Amino acid sequence: QVQLVESGGGLVQAGGSLRLSCVASRPTFSRLTMGWFRQAPGKERELAATITWVDGRTFYRGSVTGRFTISRDVAKNTVYLQMDSLKPEDTAIYYCASSPKFSTLAVDYDYWGQGTQVTVSS
């Protein structure tokens, strides 16, 4: 069992920045990929970005490319999501998730955090 705890959400004006953190409860060498997903009211959960633990390979959805940066600190079992140039459409609950696969599909992620709210005002 892996527990994931997110932090760093909040309210920010359009154009601002936030940094989300996700701490895993134990070393994650058996978990190949970490992902940040988001879910806006009335919409389906969607992928924002993923990163592999072993070598830090990243993947971003098109709408966040160039604005969001995912990174990891293996020693701290922590994954970060730096979000810059935020837009109102980035408003959502952001979830950290862990997968035993190299995957960008939500169905392949079996451990999830509780989520942290990000609200971007116009």
Side-chain angles (χ1 to χ4, degrees), residues 59-116:
F59 176 86
Y60 298 93
R61 72 177 298 108
S63 61
V64 308
T65 298
R67 300 188 299 121
F68 289 12
T69 303
I70 189 170
S71 62
R72 88 264 193 253
D73 186 326
V74 176
K76 295 182 179 180
N77 300 326
T78 302
V79 175
Y80 305 98
L81 186 67
Q82 177 67 41
M83 305 185 294
D84 299 317
S85 302
L86 282 162
K87 303 176 181 180
E89 51 264 43
D90 295 317
T91 295
I93 299 174
Y94 283 70
Y95 298 90
C96 173
S98 173
S99 174
K101 302 179 180 180
F102 294 113
S103 178
T104 59
L105 301 177
V107 67
D108 289 330
Y109 287 74
D110 50 0
Y111 293 118
W112 293 79
Q114 293 299 307
T116 184

